[in-house]
């Protein structure tokens, strides 16, 4: 086991924890029958809406599947090689990107629902 692999795993664990915690908080504020905006146009209006459970679990699920694929690839790479360093960079970057994207999307979706009066206090 190499140190870059362990640090990469830790970064993904933190990223997935952030996404899960944010989704859990939003789950309590959004009524079950609400269709949440999943995709926005450039002007900020919602283009596509999906049920709450799909919207709040989609990005964290995709991130989890990708993290497992990268974990498997990391286990196949020999420690101390240039490939291991590049793979660590990819894993670290994607972990942060997924967490930031999820938080940004969740903020915009909750703001849209708040404007519509569809959120619980």
């Amino acid at each position: 086991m190499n140190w870059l692999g362990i640090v990469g795993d830790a970064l993904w664990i933190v990223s997935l924890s952030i996404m899960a915690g944010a989704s859990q908080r939003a789950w309590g504020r959004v009524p079950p029958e609400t269709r949440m905006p999943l995709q926005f146009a450039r002007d900020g209006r919602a283009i596509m809406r999906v049920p709450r459970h799909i919207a709040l679990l989609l990005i964290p699920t995709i991130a989890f599947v990708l993290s497992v694929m990268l974990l498997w690839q990391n286990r196949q790479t020999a420690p101390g090689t240039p490939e291991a360093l590049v793979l660590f960079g990819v894993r670290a970057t994607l972990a942060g990107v997924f967490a930031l994207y999820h938080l940004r999307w969740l903020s915009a979706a909750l703001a849209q629902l708040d404007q519509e009066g569809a959120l619980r206090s």
Side-chain angles (χ1 to χ4, degrees):
M1 178 68 64
N2 63 13
W3 288 104
L4 290 179
I6 293 171
V7 173
D9 294 346
L11 291 172
W12 271 104
I13 290 169
V14 169
S15 175
L16 291 168
S17 299
I18 289 169
M19 288 187 276
S23 290
Q24 181 189 21
R25 278 190 301 260
W27 190 279
R29 293 193 62 203
V30 179
E33 66 280 353
T34 303
R35 295 181 61 84
M36 292 185 69
L38 186 62
Q39 185 178 14
F40 295 94
R42 289 189 185 264
D43 62 358
R45 64 184 167 81
I47 295 175
M48 181 171 61
R49 290 181 179 256
V50 294
R52 171 185 78 165
H53 66 280
I54 293 174
L56 292 176
L57 297 176
L58 183 65
I59 297 170
T61 302
I62 291 170
F64 175 74
V65 169
L66 181 64
S67 74
V68 170
M69 290 170 42
L70 290 170
L71 173 71
W72 178 80
Q73 182 64 38
N74 185 58
R75 298 303 185 256
Q76 304 303 315
T77 305
T81 62
E83 292 84 14
L85 184 60
V86 169
L87 188 58
F88 169 74
V90 169
R91 292 177 75 202
T93 302
L94 285 177
V97 166
F98 267 95
L100 289 174
Y101 177 76
H102 182 66
L103 293 175
R104 174 66 184 106
W105 164 78
L106 190 56
S107 173
L110 291 177
Q112 178 75 31
L113 292 174
D114 192 34
Q115 286 178 352
E116 297 168 359
L119 289 181
R120 298 181 199 151
S121 307

